[in-house]
Amino acid sequence: MKGTIDDLLARRSSRKYSSRQIGDAELEEVLKAGEYAPSAMGRQSSVMVVLQDREAIAKLSRMNAAIMGSSSDPFYGAPIVIVVLGDRSNPNSVYDGSLVMGNLMNAAHALGLGSCWIHRAYQEFESEEGKELLREWGVPGDLIGIGHCILGYAEDLPKEAAPRREGRIHRIR
Ligand SMILES: Cc1cc2nc3c(=O)[nH]c(=O)nc-3n(C[C@H](O)[C@H](O)[C@H](O)COP(=O)(O)O)c2cc1C
């Protein structure tokens, strides 16, 4: 159990990646951890779209950058982007999808992989271009974007966590 706590404390966001793909077995483990995230009423309505196709990643990267008014790659060259989306009709989609994101990132760390939450999935998939992409990928349903989990072999130096802000825990005893 100590290993789990250690992993939760040591995970950091990586923002530099090798272009080398990770193994299928590791990817499946990360995805399984995402599937096992808790969900409100056990509905399991979040979905994950796993992008390993360079062109598809580049297209989404351009869309994401455009939302920020930037032209740099918001996915930092990661060879995998897992897009987490939620069912629009489920009022708990953002909560459920965020837990999937957390599981993905913590599992990646436990396997020695780098990851980072990349935002703006909501704006991407509200756009006509985003909806068209989902149709092109064959992903059914009326979905909202929650986040992107980028994944790969990290090439940035290990980072110290920022000091934890004080006063965030209120104890009533
Ligand atoms: C909701 C959310 C959105 C985030 N969006 C981005 C993003 O768009 N780009 C990025 O580089 N990091 C993003 N991050 C990563 C945070 O910047 C990072 O988690 C935070 O600085 C703490 O660092 P750590 O993850 O290394 O502990 C996001 C994190 C969360 C939870």
Side-chain angles (χ1 to χ4, degrees):
M1 267 315 120
K2 183 80 176 112
T4 304
I5 301 291
D6 288 344
D7 283 333
L8 291 172
L9 300 189
R11 180 216 53 81
R12 299 274 76 79
S13 296
S14 296
R15 297 190 175 86
K16 190 170 181 222
Y17 290 85
S18 160
S19 57
R20 192 160 58 94
Q21 266 304 346
I22 69 168
D24 288 346
E26 289 164 299
L27 176 58
E28 290 314 310
E29 281 202 81
V30 170
L31 295 172
K32 179 162 269 192
E35 282 186 304
Y36 274 76
S39 63
M41 294 185 286
R43 278 198 196 168
Q44 301 183 35
S45 61
S46 308
V47 301
M48 294 176 268
V49 182
V50 186
L51 302 177
Q52 292 181 280
D53 176 80
R54 288 262 151 219
E55 299 261 305
I57 292 176
K59 179 165 186 181
L60 202 58
S61 166
R62 285 192 294 274
M63 283 171 64
N64 196 295
I67 294 166
M68 286 190 286
S70 139
S71 59
S72 60
D73 174 19
F75 300 146
Y76 306 109
I80 301 181
V81 176
I82 305 170
V83 188
V84 176
L85 301 114
D87 179 347
R88 190 182 301 279
S89 69
N90 180 350
N92 293 305
S93 272
V94 175
Y95 308 110
D96 291 353
S98 298
L99 284 168
V100 171
M101 288 288 296
N103 272 20
L104 294 175
M105 294 186 289
N106 285 312
H109 174 74
L111 293 168
L113 300 167
S115 73
C116 186
W117 179 317
I118 306 299
H119 223 24
R120 298 167 293 282
Y122 181 79
Q123 296 94 313
E124 269 167 20
F125 294 99
E126 287 307 287
S127 72
E128 242 341 285
E129 199 181 4
K131 291 180 200 305
E132 180 53 37
L133 265 185
L134 290 175
R135 281 191 290 271
E136 203 180 288
W137 295 338
V139 180
D142 187 7
L143 302 172
I144 58 168
I146 309 291
H148 315 77
C149 175
I150 57 171
L151 194 64
Y153 294 113
E155 285 197 333
D156 41 5
L157 295 172
K159 285 182 293 286
E160 286 280 312
R164 298 296 97 177
R165 208 156 56 76
E166 300 220 350
R168 293 167 64 200
I169 301 176
H170 302 269
R171 299 176 202 274
I172 317 300
R173 284 180 166 142

